[in-house]
Amino acid sequence: MAHGPATSSFKNPVVNWLDQRLPIFTMIQKEYGVFPTPRNFNYFWNFGAIAMIMLVTMIVSGIVLAMHYTPNTNLAFNSVERIMRDVNFGWLIRYIHMNGASFFFIAVYIHIFRGLYYGSYKKPRELLWMVGVVIFLLMMATAFMGYVLPWGQMSFWGATVITNLFSALPLVGQDIVTLLWGGFSVDNPTLNRFFALHYLLPFVIAAVVFLHVAALHVTGSNNPLGVEPKGPQDTLPFHPYYTVKDSFGTVVYLAIFAAFVFYAPNFFGEPDNYIQANPMVTPPHIVPEWYFLPYYAILRSITFDISIPFTGLKLIEAKLGGVIAMFGSIAILFILPWLDTSPVRSARFRPIFKKGILAFLVAFFLLMYVGAQTADAAWHLGGLEIPLVYVGQLATLVYFGFFLSLPFVGLIEKPLPLPASIAKPVLGGGASAAGATAKPMEKA
Amino acid sequence: MRRLRSLILAGLVAVAAAAPAVASEEMEYPKNEWSHGAVTRGFSNIFGTFDRKALQRGFQVYKEVCSACHSMNLLSYRNLSALGYNEAEITAIAAGYDMTDGPNDEGEMFTRKGVPADHFKAPFPNEKAAAAANGGKAPPDLSLIVKARKGGEDYIVALMTGFETAPAGFTVPSGGNYNKAFPGHVIAMPPPLSDGGVTFADGTKATVEQQAKDVATFLAWAAEPNLEARHQMGLKVMIFLIVLAGILYAAKRAVWADQH
């Protein structure tokens, strides 16, 4: 263990004095200043930074809302309306928070898809990926509980439907539900604990994000080619190259976000949530927020019991099967690094994988669509009636099929030839020194 | 990049193409022109402001017709300044209502005249009373009704003008009325508006359509009273963000110039 002040050589004496005792400036310099970053990022690599900005936006707007919100079943709905009407700029803060949740999820979905497409989950980034899945799960829990707080009809009935899912678990199910509710139905204790947890979890997310970034700075970033940087000619210092690129991307994203906040603030919302919760009146059509729809559709796709053939012995009831499938759709992401047996990361060089991920993407959007429809909805093509539950089941099959086929795809697929290094395809013609010759950029 | 883009597009197109084929039980309402841009229709008019005259007429329709049964608990008389009423007018409107207040120092409840700080007086003392007086179900509060119904303002207009005789073969249960816009077509509310049912101070002819549009404007304001402030601030924020994005793009180009 080395004792005594560290050596720092900053020009500013105050910075130097601080840094010798707490090397925070050295750390920033190392991790965000000169940090070697692949030179060939495309704009998909903006979404980590964007998601971070959205997390901060949600925490800041959420704390201000919490100063005016009252977590009591008799007062919650009206306290939110008081924020909308009487609190100075309350409408702005509330609409930022409401739409911020959607834009946080949009950024994170693109971020996850980018990781899938370019194989960012593969060795040596398995743990980085798994920590990311934990963040995603925490986000889902936080968003779900946050949606309950305004105590509208959809808040109440969404909470009732989703918490009830846990009752499908054998043995402990009903106890878990009682624990979640703090009673025997969704009521004031439920609202209180959801508020407490909704306030807590974002800080847990922030801590796990810190781990996510720490792990990233061990392995370094993946890149669109999926080949590791082989030397300084393949990387650029994070600052100024990626600070300026991330800033630009973030501001463009914020502009789209702002357009919704100011001109379509209720676009992602449900009219029913502007009706105060009423346990005596069930809305005709209970739908979760859009970012949960794919999983909701997977849940509803399991309409059959799973039993041992010819014996009539039920192994798994349909309800439990749905719950398992829904949680399984996220859980499978945890083992993804070991499901994929191909050594090649980027889908650019993986012809079969690329078709698979296209099918996966279509299935994901289809599930999102099916999740928003009523359970008995159907497509009418000419005289043909296709119940949407079949469409959902097919899409569920594709969703899981994509992941479960990866071990075999890795074995049979012939990847395209990989570039020798990052610098080669970017600079073209085997330029020796980075940027020495300003050749026109080749399309990577 | 390009391939990835076409991939995402393909996904979106697949979903979009499928959408119209669904058996739709949801009702569509004829879209009206709203000077404020419909509250529930995004991006409809980013410069939109409420038509003050329509707001005042709409308030008159609410006050003289709707308020007999429907409360607007989230609104106070002071909020009416947004409709263009001055302080004296608002004080006079509020004073037209008797409010129960108290208990006073003797522990008694007492009645006083309304003041601008009071919430709109509800027609019934509580929800049970409202339900009892209206065939078992309380008429909904109208404070947020435009945001709480699919179709928003357009739904209100369609509902107000949608009363007609039931088509042959459709039996309307007693205590119900046929309305082509109401989900299920049977509504407990009798047709509230009639031609000339109110007399507008500004001389506008009080047809059912006119009253319907005016009251829908008023209810849109009631549901979203900060719409104008939101539109005005939005314009500044958008200009700021777009200019900033432009500057950052130029900075990005300059920083990266030696790397391409």
PDB file of all heavy atoms in Angstrom, chain A residues 73 77 150-157 272 275-281:
ATOM      1  N   THR A  73     -54.754   6.979  -0.865  1.00  0.00           N
ATOM      2  CA  THR A  73     -55.739   6.654  -1.903  1.00  0.00           C
ATOM      3  C   THR A  73     -56.803   7.734  -2.063  1.00  0.00           C
ATOM      4  O   THR A  73     -57.360   7.896  -3.132  1.00  0.00           O
ATOM      5  CB  THR A  73     -56.431   5.310  -1.602  1.00  0.00           C
ATOM      6  OG1 THR A  73     -56.885   5.345  -0.252  1.00  0.00           O
ATOM      7  CG2 THR A  73     -55.475   4.158  -1.792  1.00  0.00           C
ATOM      8  N   PHE A  77     -54.838  11.128  -6.395  1.00  0.00           N
ATOM      9  CA  PHE A  77     -55.296  11.586  -7.708  1.00  0.00           C
ATOM     10  C   PHE A  77     -55.392  13.115  -7.733  1.00  0.00           C
ATOM     11  O   PHE A  77     -54.885  13.763  -8.650  1.00  0.00           O
ATOM     12  CB  PHE A  77     -56.660  10.960  -8.026  1.00  0.00           C
ATOM     13  CG  PHE A  77     -57.147  11.249  -9.412  1.00  0.00           C
ATOM     14  CD1 PHE A  77     -56.758  10.455 -10.476  1.00  0.00           C
ATOM     15  CD2 PHE A  77     -58.000  12.317  -9.652  1.00  0.00           C
ATOM     16  CE1 PHE A  77     -57.210  10.720 -11.756  1.00  0.00           C
ATOM     17  CE2 PHE A  77     -58.452  12.588 -10.938  1.00  0.00           C
ATOM     18  CZ  PHE A  77     -58.060  11.787 -11.987  1.00  0.00           C
ATOM     19  N   PRO A 150     -50.310   7.828  -9.630  1.00  0.00           N
ATOM     20  CA  PRO A 150     -51.383   8.818  -9.868  1.00  0.00           C
ATOM     21  C   PRO A 150     -52.763   8.305  -9.467  1.00  0.00           C
ATOM     22  O   PRO A 150     -53.716   9.082  -9.422  1.00  0.00           O
ATOM     23  CB  PRO A 150     -51.327   9.070 -11.381  1.00  0.00           C
ATOM     24  CG  PRO A 150     -50.084   8.472 -11.869  1.00  0.00           C
ATOM     25  CD  PRO A 150     -49.664   7.423 -10.891  1.00  0.00           C
ATOM     26  N   TRP A 151     -52.864   7.007  -9.188  1.00  0.00           N
ATOM     27  CA  TRP A 151     -54.101   6.420  -8.683  1.00  0.00           C
ATOM     28  C   TRP A 151     -55.292   6.664  -9.608  1.00  0.00           C
ATOM     29  O   TRP A 151     -56.391   6.993  -9.186  1.00  0.00           O
ATOM     30  CB  TRP A 151     -54.393   6.923  -7.260  1.00  0.00           C
ATOM     31  CG  TRP A 151     -55.169   5.942  -6.456  1.00  0.00           C
ATOM     32  CD1 TRP A 151     -56.440   6.121  -5.958  1.00  0.00           C
ATOM     33  CD2 TRP A 151     -54.771   4.625  -6.042  1.00  0.00           C
ATOM     34  NE1 TRP A 151     -56.837   4.995  -5.273  1.00  0.00           N
ATOM     35  CE2 TRP A 151     -55.830   4.063  -5.310  1.00  0.00           C
ATOM     36  CE3 TRP A 151     -53.612   3.862  -6.236  1.00  0.00           C
ATOM     37  CZ2 TRP A 151     -55.774   2.783  -4.768  1.00  0.00           C
ATOM     38  CZ3 TRP A 151     -53.555   2.588  -5.692  1.00  0.00           C
ATOM     39  CH2 TRP A 151     -54.629   2.074  -4.969  1.00  0.00           C
ATOM     40  N   GLY A 152     -55.033   6.522 -10.908  1.00  0.00           N
ATOM     41  CA  GLY A 152     -56.123   6.532 -11.877  1.00  0.00           C
ATOM     42  C   GLY A 152     -56.658   5.118 -12.033  1.00  0.00           C
ATOM     43  O   GLY A 152     -56.170   4.173 -11.410  1.00  0.00           O
ATOM     44  N   GLN A 153     -57.643   4.987 -12.893  1.00  0.00           N
ATOM     45  CA  GLN A 153     -58.246   3.669 -13.113  1.00  0.00           C
ATOM     46  C   GLN A 153     -57.223   2.656 -13.624  1.00  0.00           C
ATOM     47  O   GLN A 153     -57.185   1.518 -13.198  1.00  0.00           O
ATOM     48  CB  GLN A 153     -59.396   3.775 -14.131  1.00  0.00           C
ATOM     49  CG  GLN A 153     -60.737   4.104 -13.535  1.00  0.00           C
ATOM     50  CD  GLN A 153     -61.312   2.945 -12.726  1.00  0.00           C
ATOM     51  OE1 GLN A 153     -60.795   2.584 -11.673  1.00  0.00           O
ATOM     52  NE2 GLN A 153     -62.401   2.372 -13.217  1.00  0.00           N
ATOM     53  N   MET A 154     -56.378   3.088 -14.584  1.00  0.00           N
ATOM     54  CA  MET A 154     -55.415   2.148 -15.153  1.00  0.00           C
ATOM     55  C   MET A 154     -54.304   1.849 -14.142  1.00  0.00           C
ATOM     56  O   MET A 154     -53.765   0.745 -14.126  1.00  0.00           O
ATOM     57  CB  MET A 154     -54.851   2.706 -16.454  1.00  0.00           C
ATOM     58  CG  MET A 154     -54.609   1.675 -17.532  1.00  0.00           C
ATOM     59  SD  MET A 154     -55.949   0.518 -17.777  1.00  0.00           S
ATOM     60  CE  MET A 154     -56.783   1.243 -19.158  1.00  0.00           C
ATOM     61  N   SER A 155     -53.970   2.836 -13.297  1.00  0.00           N
ATOM     62  CA  SER A 155     -53.011   2.602 -12.217  1.00  0.00           C
ATOM     63  C   SER A 155     -53.498   1.455 -11.352  1.00  0.00           C
ATOM     64  O   SER A 155     -52.792   0.479 -11.104  1.00  0.00           O
ATOM     65  CB  SER A 155     -52.894   3.842 -11.313  1.00  0.00           C
ATOM     66  OG  SER A 155     -52.448   4.951 -12.012  1.00  0.00           O
ATOM     67  N   PHE A 156     -54.733   1.597 -10.892  1.00  0.00           N
ATOM     68  CA  PHE A 156     -55.294   0.642  -9.948  1.00  0.00           C
ATOM     69  C   PHE A 156     -55.460  -0.742 -10.574  1.00  0.00           C
ATOM     70  O   PHE A 156     -55.035  -1.746 -10.002  1.00  0.00           O
ATOM     71  CB  PHE A 156     -56.650   1.154  -9.444  1.00  0.00           C
ATOM     72  CG  PHE A 156     -57.326   0.208  -8.494  1.00  0.00           C
ATOM     73  CD1 PHE A 156     -57.050   0.263  -7.139  1.00  0.00           C
ATOM     74  CD2 PHE A 156     -58.229  -0.739  -8.956  1.00  0.00           C
ATOM     75  CE1 PHE A 156     -57.660  -0.619  -6.268  1.00  0.00           C
ATOM     76  CE2 PHE A 156     -58.830  -1.629  -8.082  1.00  0.00           C
ATOM     77  CZ  PHE A 156     -58.544  -1.567  -6.730  1.00  0.00           C
ATOM     78  N   TRP A 157     -56.039  -0.775 -11.772  1.00  0.00           N
ATOM     79  CA  TRP A 157     -56.349  -2.083 -12.365  1.00  0.00           C
ATOM     80  C   TRP A 157     -55.103  -2.737 -12.945  1.00  0.00           C
ATOM     81  O   TRP A 157     -54.987  -3.966 -12.938  1.00  0.00           O
ATOM     82  CB  TRP A 157     -57.475  -1.954 -13.385  1.00  0.00           C
ATOM     83  CG  TRP A 157     -58.760  -1.679 -12.665  1.00  0.00           C
ATOM     84  CD1 TRP A 157     -59.360  -0.470 -12.483  1.00  0.00           C
ATOM     85  CD2 TRP A 157     -59.548  -2.634 -11.946  1.00  0.00           C
ATOM     86  NE1 TRP A 157     -60.482  -0.606 -11.706  1.00  0.00           N
ATOM     87  CE2 TRP A 157     -60.630  -1.931 -11.361  1.00  0.00           C
ATOM     88  CE3 TRP A 157     -59.456  -4.012 -11.731  1.00  0.00           C
ATOM     89  CZ2 TRP A 157     -61.598  -2.558 -10.589  1.00  0.00           C
ATOM     90  CZ3 TRP A 157     -60.424  -4.634 -10.971  1.00  0.00           C
ATOM     91  CH2 TRP A 157     -61.487  -3.912 -10.405  1.00  0.00           C
ATOM     92  N   ASP A 272     -58.139   6.428 -19.598  1.00  0.00           N
ATOM     93  CA  ASP A 272     -58.703   5.913 -18.347  1.00  0.00           C
ATOM     94  C   ASP A 272     -57.928   6.352 -17.117  1.00  0.00           C
ATOM     95  O   ASP A 272     -58.461   6.340 -16.009  1.00  0.00           O
ATOM     96  CB  ASP A 272     -58.766   4.380 -18.377  1.00  0.00           C
ATOM     97  CG  ASP A 272     -60.107   3.896 -18.903  1.00  0.00           C
ATOM     98  OD1 ASP A 272     -61.036   4.725 -18.988  1.00  0.00           O
ATOM     99  OD2 ASP A 272     -60.225   2.708 -19.225  1.00  0.00           O
ATOM    100  N   ILE A 275     -59.270   9.103 -14.911  1.00  0.00           N
ATOM    101  CA  ILE A 275     -60.420   8.826 -14.053  1.00  0.00           C
ATOM    102  C   ILE A 275     -59.861   8.266 -12.749  1.00  0.00           C
ATOM    103  O   ILE A 275     -59.022   7.370 -12.772  1.00  0.00           O
ATOM    104  CB  ILE A 275     -61.361   7.786 -14.698  1.00  0.00           C
ATOM    105  CG1 ILE A 275     -61.795   8.253 -16.082  1.00  0.00           C
ATOM    106  CG2 ILE A 275     -62.549   7.508 -13.794  1.00  0.00           C
ATOM    107  CD1 ILE A 275     -62.497   7.182 -16.890  1.00  0.00           C
ATOM    108  N   GLN A 276     -60.322   8.811 -11.630  1.00  0.00           N
ATOM    109  CA  GLN A 276     -59.791   8.351 -10.345  1.00  0.00           C
ATOM    110  C   GLN A 276     -60.081   6.869 -10.146  1.00  0.00           C
ATOM    111  O   GLN A 276     -61.142   6.372 -10.547  1.00  0.00           O
ATOM    112  CB  GLN A 276     -60.411   9.166  -9.218  1.00  0.00           C
ATOM    113  CG  GLN A 276     -59.764   8.864  -7.874  1.00  0.00           C
ATOM    114  CD  GLN A 276     -60.085   9.908  -6.824  1.00  0.00           C
ATOM    115  OE1 GLN A 276     -60.794  10.873  -7.080  1.00  0.00           O
ATOM    116  NE2 GLN A 276     -59.543   9.723  -5.635  1.00  0.00           N
ATOM    117  N   ALA A 277     -59.138   6.170  -9.510  1.00  0.00           N
ATOM    118  CA  ALA A 277     -59.278   4.732  -9.278  1.00  0.00           C
ATOM    119  C   ALA A 277     -60.587   4.431  -8.567  1.00  0.00           C
ATOM    120  O   ALA A 277     -60.976   5.124  -7.633  1.00  0.00           O
ATOM    121  CB  ALA A 277     -58.104   4.228  -8.435  1.00  0.00           C
ATOM    122  N   ASN A 278     -61.264   3.395  -9.053  1.00  0.00           N
ATOM    123  CA  ASN A 278     -62.511   2.978  -8.437  1.00  0.00           C
ATOM    124  C   ASN A 278     -62.561   1.452  -8.416  1.00  0.00           C
ATOM    125  O   ASN A 278     -62.741   0.825  -9.454  1.00  0.00           O
ATOM    126  CB  ASN A 278     -63.692   3.542  -9.238  1.00  0.00           C
ATOM    127  CG  ASN A 278     -65.025   3.225  -8.592  1.00  0.00           C
ATOM    128  OD1 ASN A 278     -65.092   2.417  -7.656  1.00  0.00           O
ATOM    129  ND2 ASN A 278     -66.069   3.854  -9.077  1.00  0.00           N
ATOM    130  N   PRO A 279     -62.369   0.854  -7.238  1.00  0.00           N
ATOM    131  CA  PRO A 279     -62.319  -0.608  -7.160  1.00  0.00           C
ATOM    132  C   PRO A 279     -63.626  -1.266  -7.581  1.00  0.00           C
ATOM    133  O   PRO A 279     -63.643  -2.466  -7.845  1.00  0.00           O
ATOM    134  CB  PRO A 279     -62.042  -0.870  -5.669  1.00  0.00           C
ATOM    135  CG  PRO A 279     -61.519   0.411  -5.127  1.00  0.00           C
ATOM    136  CD  PRO A 279     -62.142   1.499  -5.940  1.00  0.00           C
ATOM    137  N   MET A 280     -64.726  -0.492  -7.647  1.00  0.00           N
ATOM    138  CA  MET A 280     -66.018  -1.070  -7.988  1.00  0.00           C
ATOM    139  C   MET A 280     -66.275  -1.088  -9.495  1.00  0.00           C
ATOM    140  O   MET A 280     -67.225  -1.703  -9.952  1.00  0.00           O
ATOM    141  CB  MET A 280     -67.161  -0.294  -7.303  1.00  0.00           C
ATOM    142  CG  MET A 280     -66.972  -0.067  -5.823  1.00  0.00           C
ATOM    143  SD  MET A 280     -66.683  -1.610  -4.941  1.00  0.00           S
ATOM    144  CE  MET A 280     -68.339  -2.265  -4.908  1.00  0.00           C
ATOM    145  N   VAL A 281     -65.461  -0.356 -10.261  1.00  0.00           N
ATOM    146  CA  VAL A 281     -65.689  -0.270 -11.705  1.00  0.00           C
ATOM    147  C   VAL A 281     -64.446  -0.755 -12.455  1.00  0.00           C
ATOM    148  O   VAL A 281     -63.378  -0.153 -12.351  1.00  0.00           O
ATOM    149  CB  VAL A 281     -66.002   1.180 -12.142  1.00  0.00           C
ATOM    150  CG1 VAL A 281     -66.236   1.249 -13.637  1.00  0.00           C
ATOM    151  CG2 VAL A 281     -67.206   1.716 -11.387  1.00  0.00           C
TER     152      VAL A 281
END
